[in-house]
Amino acid sequence: MDSQGNASGFDRSLIYPYAFRHSFAQRHADAGTPVDVLRELMDHDPKTTMGYHRVSLKRKRKAVATLSLMVTDRSGAAMPCSATAYEQRSVAVPFGGCTEPSNVKAGGHACPIRFQCSGCGFYRPAPSSLPAIEDHINSLRADRETARAMDAADFVVDDLTAQIDSYQRVAAKARERTAAMPDHEQAELEEAAALMRRLRAGGDHELLPLTVVTKRDSR
Ligand code: SF4
């Protein structure tokens, strides 16, 4: 698309089979696939595989620097920080960043108030958190319907409603801030957010055991 939103043709001379191989390797490196696994997948020598991980690290630093400028508190007030502070003093939790010291120390696994982030003073959402926040709002709505069907006490339904409302306010502020940015900054932000989402997803999932099949000599 051009800046007016019109479809612009992609230069077909830039599409060639080796580019698919290169993209495959870079996307694995960006998603946190370990060097030895990627080396086996690509049948590379170690130095070549490390090249993809160096690019990945560089892109991650750039993405962190971009996102650190867009961090807010739960009410949507800007809380920009340096990329170093973003990485050292916060930890990724399901719906954004957390700066609560004991939880940061525990790698994000020791939230004292059961991850009710939108009501917490230590919550630091960034635009990259938006898809996770929207998913969470949908799942809270489903929980509320289940609670009603179970004839749960009012306080249970009220608590779910309060959480839905507060996450909706966080999401609205994130959309508002993003929409106010010029197109090129929005594109840069989206690229950084997508990379961080891939890294977080890759960091948490269990890798399936990789079986390397080597050809036997034909007899
Ligand atoms: S609720 Fe607060 S302390 Fe808990 S994970 Fe969310 S931001 Fe951190």
Side-chain angles (χ1 to χ4, degrees):
M1 295 276 183
D2 63 19
S3 58
Q4 307 300 313
N6 302 315
S8 55
F10 188 81
D11 181 355
R12 288 178 178 235
S13 68
L14 296 175
I15 304 173
Y16 50 96
Y18 182 75
F20 292 116
R21 182 175 159 82
H22 181 74
S23 302
F24 176 84
Q26 192 59 63
R27 287 178 69 84
H28 264 289
D30 287 349
T33 300
V35 178
D36 53 338
V37 174
L38 184 54
R39 188 174 65 75
E40 294 287 0
L41 284 171
M42 299 298 294
D43 198 18
H44 272 155
D45 63 76
K47 201 173 146 201
T48 307
T49 313
M50 276 312 295
Y52 286 97
H53 278 263
R54 270 194 291 273
V55 172
S56 179
L57 198 59
K58 220 165 124 186
R59 292 176 68 196
K60 184 189 166 195
R61 284 201 192 109
K62 188 166 174 269
V64 167
T66 304
L67 291 176
S68 59
L69 300 175
M70 293 299 295
V71 171
T72 66
D73 66 8
R74 70 190 157 105
S75 67
M79 301 287 280
C81 58
S82 72
T84 312
Y86 184 75
E87 281 199 297
Q88 288 179 352
R89 290 183 218 142
S90 70
V91 67
V93 287
F95 324 114
C98 167
T99 56
E100 200 284 316
S102 61
N103 195 34
V104 173
K105 203 168 163 193
H109 300 293
C111 171
I113 58 169
R114 298 170 184 254
F115 296 95
Q116 297 183 83
C117 300
S118 63
C120 176
F122 289 101
Y123 183 37
R124 295 292 179 270
S128 55
S129 325
L130 205 43
I133 292 172
E134 284 166 346
D135 283 351
H136 190 51
I137 291 170
N138 288 334
S139 103
L140 286 169
R141 281 194 183 120
D143 289 351
R144 185 173 57 181
E145 289 316 304
T146 306
R148 283 178 176 146
M150 291 168 67
D151 197 22
D154 286 350
F155 79 86
V156 176
V157 176
D158 291 348
D159 176 61
L160 289 164
T161 302
Q163 286 193 61
I164 292 166
D165 290 347
S166 70
Y167 275 110
Q168 277 177 327
R169 283 193 292 276
V170 172
K173 286 282 176 192
R175 276 190 223 103
E176 214 176 274
R177 291 197 80 208
T178 311
M181 298 166 77
D183 285 355
H184 71 279
E185 283 183 22
Q186 276 188 36
E188 195 180 328
L189 185 66
E190 185 40 49
E191 193 187 326
L195 178 62
M196 292 307 287
R197 281 198 292 273
R198 280 215 301 276
L199 285 170
R200 281 173 186 162
D204 284 346
H205 75 245
E206 294 276 324
L207 288 169
L208 293 171
L210 177 73
T211 308
V212 178
V213 181
T214 48
K215 272 189 198 166
R216 289 197 181 160
D217 292 336
S218 50
R219 300 177 184 207

